[in-house]
Amino acid sequence: IPIFILVGLLVHCVFLVSIFDIYFSSPLVHGMTPQQTPLPPPAKRLVLFVADGLRADSLYELDSNGTPRAPYLRGILENNGSWGISHTRVPTESRPGHVALIAGFYEDVSAVAKGWKENPVEFDSVFNESKYTWSWGSPDILPMFAKGATGDHVYTFCYAAESEDFGAEDAAKLDIWVFDHVKNFFNSSRSNQTLFSALNEEKVVLFLHLLGIDTNGHAHRPNSREYQENIKQVDEGVKEIASMIDNFYGNDGKTAFILTSDHGMTDWGSHGAGHPSETLTPLIVWGAGVNYPQKVTSQFFEDNFLKEWKLENLKRLDVNQADIAPLMASLIGVPFPLNSVGTLPLEYLNSSAHFKAESMFTNAVQILEQFKVKMSQKKETTLSFLFTPFKPLSDSEQINFLKKIRLYIQQQKYNEVVSLCKTLINLALEGLSYYHTYDRLFLGLSIALGFVGWTTYVILVIIKGHTSLTKTVPTNKKKSAVLFYSFVSAGMIIAFFLLIQTSPWTYYIYCLLPVPVWYAVVREIPVIQDLARNVLSLHIGQSIGFFLVCILAIEILVFSFFYRSALTVGLLVFAGWPVITQLWIQAKTKALLWTLLCVLLAIFPLMPVVGRDPNIPLVIAAGLLTLLISCFSLASLCKSENNYRDNEDLKVYFYQMFNVALSTYVVSSTHNSLKNKQGLPVMNQIISWMILVSSPALLLLSPTFLFQRLFSILLSLMSIYLLLSTGYEALFPLVLFGLMFVWINMEQEALQHYGLSLKPKLAVFNFTYAMDITQFRQLHLDDVRRSFFFVFFIVTAFFGTGNIASINSFDPASVYCFLTVFSPFMMGGLLLLKVAIPFVLVSCAFEAVQVTTQLSSKSLFLIVLVISDIMALHFFFLVKDYGSWLDIGTSISHYVLVMSLTIFMMVMNGLAQLLTTQRLGLPRRTKHHST
């Protein structure tokens, strides 16, 4: 088994990683020449304010009494500058947002996985192209642009990482820190000649990163007083800084100002997904070279914001987030960032038609440069007879475009120049995408082929080794040798073909993986023939019916990834299972409990996603309910007259119950403390970490009798889960565990019902004395249902309290008992632990089902593997890279999720065996022998 599981793990890891190579490789190319507008720029310096986490509506809308939230900025957009909405892309996180703003390209999702702090790909930015950049703000954002810069002209001033505390009294102090430091910086320059002359140079950028709004939004939600007060403070700060800078330069009218945000935030204080509240950010531009407000009588946008914001008569100029980088570059006259894919928003510029035309031409040439480099790279790594170029931008077409544009500039037909440049930019971007996805179909087919082969092989292994459907067929040595050599030669041809094209090493894995997999399948052709004969001799109607039911069941699972309510439908069907199969006749109480718990669990997928509105009393109720159930269980354990009970064991349970009580107290006291702005109490933090460490150890001290060990697993996991809960989800593991408990009992009844074996006495069943290998039985059709139940419960464990957004939309409130200072990997790890706890409960119950129904864990697990692989293949074909960013993100995360689930289930299988069979021995005074 271990070898098979290792191979399975390896194959699934390849399938999982492939999606990043196929859909998410870095779009960046290197080796372009910088492009700069030949005319003098309107501004000498640029001040960029980024209010992290600021939503467009929060800034533009009026208060309940009709006054603007940010009076200074409102005055600017009404009298001095231009405004609009900047549309960001998924994932709406700080790092990709800032990269789009300052470097002008959308970072691929794989970069987010590499962390906020490092620079996974070298890229050019407006800061790098400037003469000097000074920046103030968060240590998570600033170093990334300084690190990528050539030379030593990007200076950063950051506060300590510990200041980013969600539990702090008020996060607005982060912004006040920035404003104070900028003021001190300018004051000190008067007595520092070097700094003074540097500040008076051209092409200078000042970047103020304001994190307070984001931190307050996470901690208190965007509709809170704290978030809105913070906007007022930022407005005040921007006003002071702008007036101070104007005074410093003697009001020379050569400073341009931009205020925007990297991403928005949902009403429940998270970001990362593609909800409009996360993707719509404000953009206000004023100062040198910027258009004044344009009055209009009517303008049409699909949203109704203009009316709400009372801005119907001021022209709203929307841009994509990456368009802001070329805007900054043209305002101060630096080369456009080399990797920028933004289009210069001309309506923001207040300059001559000649300047606009030249800037647009520079923009077009800069994007065309990237296209040329991308094309030559692809050409070099593809055999000439297989290379199909991007027709609309062949070499001759490019020359035509550039000739025409230059001619129009000479003839001063500037409007024609602009429209031609826009066409050229769109074509170049299409071409970039074409070459970036050039190998996608070929790689996708390879992976799909591997997938189908692997699933077929697993089905054959199940049928051959675990059922009595086929007889062993003698192998023909001569035939198998021919087969082996033909597959080896096919592999060599593929490898040679890849070698000529100098393909990356990962391509070898994707293209060669199907070869051994299909070899293993084709070797079993006699088994397939034998199986076909056997199946044809069965009742055709029944076979087709069984097949259709299987397909329908898997479709419901696939559907549940899009609509959580599909799980409710599934659970209600499960509730009727004892009635459909007549099981309720022999076990009325168990059947009634099963139906009741299925209906209870079916409520959870209909609830709103976790984290929207915290409800601490429900968490406390869940803790008390766990203690109540524990008392009843312990009482019944003490009453039982079996002599396998041990006083030492009872102590372990009492410690675990004490942990649950402690968790309940810590959650209540921590959230009260944070509510009163007193931060996270140190004592609570220490207790939380101690519970996290001690719970698994206590679990392994408990006896390995079936119900006692499962009860111990519940207590241990509940004490951790309570600390990570903020609302109704605290009740979820309890109901899920109740159902799992009844499931184990119901499977015993099912065994008896189908006459497969005698009913073992569950009360004295011990995990450690797992049955002798000869007692394992062959698979029965009912075992397919058992495996399906497991996969369904695993999916329910994941989506029961939230959809995909609940994990990628980062809600830090869940981890406040452990830490409140921003630390993405620690917080992410704890959130993953929270997601994993229901999984562990289901896996341990499945382990119990396997052992008590006398099946080898391998056979049931293989069926589970087939079900999840068929689901994964579904999602592989549903992955798309067009449409809205939300659709793209969701389709990819679904595939990654199913693949992770499969890999995760392999790991969980091992973990469940460890948790149910292992026991730490403590030195004991008396010895008890179980009989």
Side-chain angles (χ1 to χ4, degrees), residues 335-618:
F336 285 37
L338 292 175
N339 299 109
S340 167
V341 292
T343 308
L344 179 63
L346 289 177
E347 289 180 290
Y348 277 89
L349 294 177
N350 177 19
S351 42
S352 66
H354 185 198
F355 181 82
K356 286 182 179 177
E358 284 286 6
S359 299
M360 208 63 202
F361 184 42
T362 307
N363 194 180
V365 172
Q366 169 258 327
I367 293 177
L368 188 64
E369 277 286 310
Q370 293 180 68
F371 168 79
K372 286 179 179 167
V373 171
K374 195 91 176 169
M375 183 175 80
S376 65
Q377 281 180 358
K378 194 78 311 181
K379 216 171 186 171
E380 280 164 25
T381 59
T382 313
L383 295 173
S384 51
F385 66 91
L386 287 174
F387 180 71
T388 42
F390 180 65
K391 297 273 189 327
L393 267 190
S394 59
D395 291 352
S396 56
E397 282 292 325
Q398 289 177 38
I399 293 165
N400 277 345
F401 264 112
L402 298 175
K403 263 188 187 162
K404 249 188 200 169
I405 293 171
R406 286 203 179 95
L407 183 69
Y408 283 150
I409 288 178
Q410 279 171 358
Q411 296 170 347
Q412 299 187 354
K413 294 182 178 172
Y414 298 129
N415 289 343
E416 283 89 338
V417 172
V418 169
S419 70
L420 255 185
C421 286
K422 283 185 177 167
T423 313
L424 180 57
I425 285 173
N426 290 334
L427 283 176
L429 289 174
E430 265 177 54
L432 269 172
S433 167
Y434 170 81
Y435 286 120
H436 185 53
T437 59
Y438 193 81
D439 295 329
R440 186 170 293 175
L441 181 69
F442 153 67
L443 289 176
L445 283 173
S446 291
I447 292 293
L449 206 63
F451 236 125
V452 175
W454 166 257
T455 311
T456 314
Y457 176 64
V458 176
I459 293 173
L460 284 174
V461 168
I462 295 172
I463 287 167
K464 199 176 157 191
H466 301 277
T467 65
S468 46
L469 285 175
T470 58
K471 309 186 288 292
T472 46
V473 188
T475 50
N476 182 332
K477 286 220 172 111
K478 196 175 176 188
K479 266 188 185 171
S480 46
V482 171
L483 199 65
F484 176 73
Y485 288 118
S486 54
F487 270 93
V488 167
S489 48
M492 286 165 82
I493 292 167
I494 294 170
F496 178 66
F497 185 68
L498 292 171
L499 192 69
I500 300 173
Q501 303 201 71
T502 58
S503 301
W505 64 272
T506 47
Y507 283 28
Y508 287 87
I509 299 175
Y510 305 146
C511 299
L512 291 172
L513 182 71
V515 178
V517 170
W518 277 103
Y519 169 64
V521 172
V522 175
R523 265 180 60 192
E524 305 293 351
I525 276 183
V527 177
I528 298 170
Q529 289 166 339
D530 192 31
L531 176 70
R533 277 196 294 274
N534 281 347
V535 170
L536 289 173
S537 66
L538 295 171
H539 192 278
I540 295 291
Q542 273 179 337
S543 304
I544 293 173
F546 174 71
F547 190 64
L548 287 176
V549 167
C550 287
I551 289 175
L552 180 73
I554 288 175
E555 286 309 313
I556 283 187
L557 278 179
V558 170
F559 208 63
S560 70
F561 276 69
F562 298 96
Y563 305 99
R564 286 167 57 211
S565 49
L567 292 173
T568 302
V569 175
L571 283 164
L572 293 175
V573 173
F574 280 13
W577 168 57
V579 180
I580 300 163
T581 55
Q582 309 272 301
L583 270 175
W584 67 280
I585 299 171
Q586 68 191 62
K588 290 194 173 56
T589 322
K590 287 175 186 171
L592 189 69
L593 269 174
W594 166 266
T595 306
L596 183 73
L597 284 162
C598 277
V599 173
L600 266 180
L601 195 63
I603 298 169
F604 284 93
L606 299 175
M607 304 280 274
V609 172
V610 165
R612 302 272 165 113
D613 27 28
N615 189 337
I616 300 304
L618 269 181

Side-chain angles (χ1 to χ4, degrees), residues 631-694:
C631 293
F632 277 118
S633 308
L634 271 186
S636 69
L637 194 70
C638 292
K639 264 189 212 155
S640 68
E641 285 151 30
N642 297 323
N643 54 357
Y644 57 79
R645 187 167 48 74
D646 190 329
N647 288 338
E648 295 286 329
D649 298 339
L650 287 180
K651 273 186 197 166
V652 173
Y653 293 128
F654 282 124
Y655 286 135
Q656 287 185 304
M657 283 167 70
F658 177 66
N659 266 358
V660 171
L662 212 52
S663 293
T664 313
Y665 164 75
V666 166
V667 168
S668 160
S669 108
T670 300
H671 284 272
N672 274 341
S673 169
L674 291 174
K675 212 174 184 178
N676 302 332
K677 304 274 181 72
Q678 289 163 347
L680 166 62
V682 180
M683 197 62 209
N684 287 11
Q685 194 175 10
I686 293 169
I687 293 172
S688 298
W689 285 104
M690 280 172 69
I691 290 174
L692 182 67
V693 174
S694 66

